[in-house]
Amino acid sequence: MHPTPAQPLDGSHDREIESLAEFDEVVAERGSLAHHRVQAVDLTDRTKTLLTLDTTGAMFLGCPMDPTAAAHVRSSGALVFPPVPGLPFDPYRGFAYSPDELFESLEKGYEATPDAQAYAWFQRTKADGDVFASMLRAIHDDAVSDALDELLVGARVVGVMGGHAMARGTAAYAGAARLGRDLARAGFTVATGGGPGAMEAANLGAYAAPFADGMLEEALRLLAEAPSFRPSVTDWARAAFEVRERWPGGGESVGIPTWFYGHEPPNAFAAHIAKYFANATREDGLLARSTAGVVFLPGAAGTVQEIFDNATPNYYESRGEPTPMVLVNEEHWTRELPTWPLLQSLARGRSMESRIALVDRIEQASEVLKRLCS
């Protein structure tokens, strides 16, 4: 899902090196690192190579290397941004996170995981107002966005939006999981806000897509034993990893959570997790990348905000042709939070009018979305 180093240097992504294997391939193929960007690759064992290569205009972002090599590439015209010690995250990372990475050390309790430690660092530095920490957060979020763009090249992405309060073991959670499975089986890449509740359910469904239908029903029963991330994120996350261990090799999907909502842990069923510090960047990025449409499950203020964040570029066609929007649950969206009438009024007489729909049952959402995409 990443550009190959052998491509001609006609775009920024073609010059990015994000793994040691890519580094070795570029060196073997081109014999030069001129104008390349090397992101978070440990080069401590490539000192001899670095001392002989042309690094004119190159940039090394958070790459551990021998001081001799670092001095040489600087003298040859490269910029070197060294790793920042003491951080619970890598601001220069080249790839999205994996659940295993964010939940490392879960056996010691959630508080010991990199995810929890990154949130604690965020809270501490945000309170301090440290400009260096602000810069590191911005660099990190830009790197995550870059990684996400590379990951999703050519994908038909459907966003599934809904609240974090939806508990495992409920009919609503099971319905959201079946929706995620249906969308994945139809060839869409499921993307969610990456957290618990409806978001986890949709990622779970995509994970279950390659298996026989009975797998999801059994997984739902197992997860119901830890219905919420409250009071224990540790127990909640362990239940998810137990499902993954019992059925390894599930389908891939994307989660896009944020440390801004530190009480909301990421879920373990999204294969690729693009986690941000800046919630505004995360929200806009999630909706902008849902190029095949968005399904909105019942939610509260956050989901209402997402509906109109999505409706605005569809209204103005600022991102091109309007993308499908499917709202699920008539009672919720016409009476409890009457968002649908306003959305209809906005859409009337515009191109987006034919790309919006309200369905009563979640079982209808996948087919309606596919029809709106055609």
Side-chain angles (χ1 to χ4, degrees), residues 224-240:
E225 296 177 11
S228 174
F229 62 96
R230 295 187 177 103
S232 173
V233 175
T234 303
D235 292 344
W236 174 83
R238 281 175 177 164

Side-chain angles (χ1 to χ4, degrees), residues 317-333:
E317 299 189 42
S318 55
R319 292 178 184 145
E321 185 179 344
T323 53
M325 299 176 66
V326 180
L327 278 61
V328 178
N329 191 312
E330 290 184 11
E331 172 71 21
H332 187 82
W333 295 121

Side-chain angles (χ1 to χ4, degrees), residues 208-219:
F211 300 100
D213 288 356
M215 173 268 175
L216 180 57
E217 306 311 312
E218 181 63 19

Side-chain angles (χ1 to χ4, degrees), residues 30-373:
R30 297 178 179 151
S32 171
L33 288 177
H35 305 291
H36 281 74
R37 280 81 174 97
V38 190
Q39 274 180 265
V41 179
D42 189 341
L43 299 175
T44 51
D45 290 333
R46 295 297 185 272
T47 300
K48 289 183 179 179
T49 301
L50 290 169
L51 292 175
T52 62
L53 287 174
D54 178 11
T55 58
T56 304
M59 191 174 295
F60 296 85
L61 304 168
C63 298
M65 64 178 79
D66 184 272
T68 304
H72 175 78
V73 298
R74 282 194 184 97
S75 67
S76 300
L79 286 175
V80 178
F81 293 78
V84 181
L87 291 179
F89 63 93
D90 183 354
Y92 302 111
R93 61 180 303 109
F95 301 101
Y97 292 96
S98 69
D100 290 330
E101 185 178 3
L102 287 176
F103 284 103
E104 184 181 358
S105 302
L106 182 64
E107 69 279 1
K108 300 175 184 176
Y110 173 68
E111 294 72 18
T113 66
D115 185 67
Q117 292 173 359
Y119 174 65
W121 176 90
F122 179 34
Q123 290 298 100
R124 184 173 64 254
T125 57
K126 183 175 66 172
D128 292 342
D130 183 358
V131 67
F132 181 56
S134 298
M135 182 189 74
L136 292 174
R137 292 196 295 269
I139 292 171
H140 169 274
D141 285 1
D142 188 70
V144 167
S145 289
D146 184 68
L148 193 56
D149 286 338
E150 293 182 45
L151 178 72
L152 296 177
V153 169
R156 299 169 67 214
V157 181
V158 172
V160 179
M161 308 299 166
H164 68 262
M166 185 184 288
R168 296 167 174 174
T170 63
Y173 184 96
R178 294 186 189 106
L179 170 65
R181 184 178 64 184
D182 291 346
L183 291 170
R185 286 178 174 177
F188 295 108
T189 295
V190 173
T192 78
M199 298 171 278
E200 180 189 56
N203 289 129
L204 166 65
Y207 186 88
F211 300 100
D213 288 356
M215 173 268 175
L216 180 57
E217 306 311 312
E218 181 63 19
L220 289 169
R221 284 192 288 272
L222 293 173
L223 291 170
E225 296 177 11
S228 174
F229 62 96
R230 295 187 177 103
S232 173
V233 175
T234 303
D235 292 344
W236 174 83
R238 281 175 177 164
F241 278 101
E242 286 171 10
V243 168
R244 284 164 43 99
E245 289 165 9
R246 181 165 175 178
W247 291 281
E252 293 191 356
S253 64
V254 176
I256 306 180
T258 173
W259 280 294
F260 182 81
Y261 296 130
H263 62 283
E264 245 180 59
N267 76 72
F269 292 110
H272 309 284
I273 301 175
K275 191 154 190 179
Y276 288 85
F277 288 105
N279 185 51
T281 304
R282 167 254 194 173
E283 287 275 11
D284 184 68
L286 171 55
L287 293 166
R289 291 175 176 87
S290 297
T291 51
V294 182
V295 178
F296 297 92
L297 303 179
T303 310
V304 171
Q305 177 183 338
E306 288 163 346
I307 289 173
F308 291 105
D309 281 348
N310 193 206
T312 300
N314 282 344
Y315 180 89
Y316 289 111
E317 299 189 42
S318 55
R319 292 178 184 145
E321 185 179 344
T323 53
M325 299 176 66
V326 180
L327 278 61
V328 178
N329 191 312
E330 290 184 11
E331 172 71 21
H332 187 82
W333 295 121
T334 61
R335 295 177 182 83
E336 294 180 28
L337 295 174
T339 303
W340 174 248
L342 179 53
L343 184 61
Q344 276 187 306
S345 297
L346 280 171
R348 191 168 296 120
R350 306 186 76 88
S351 299
M352 69 180 285
E353 188 173 16
S354 63
R355 310 305 291 276
I356 65 172
L358 172 67
V359 299
D360 194 40
R361 294 180 295 106
I362 199 168
E363 293 79 11
Q364 301 169 295
S366 179
E367 287 305 314
V368 169
L369 181 101
K370 286 184 276 187
R371 174 173 57 79
L372 295 180
C373 281

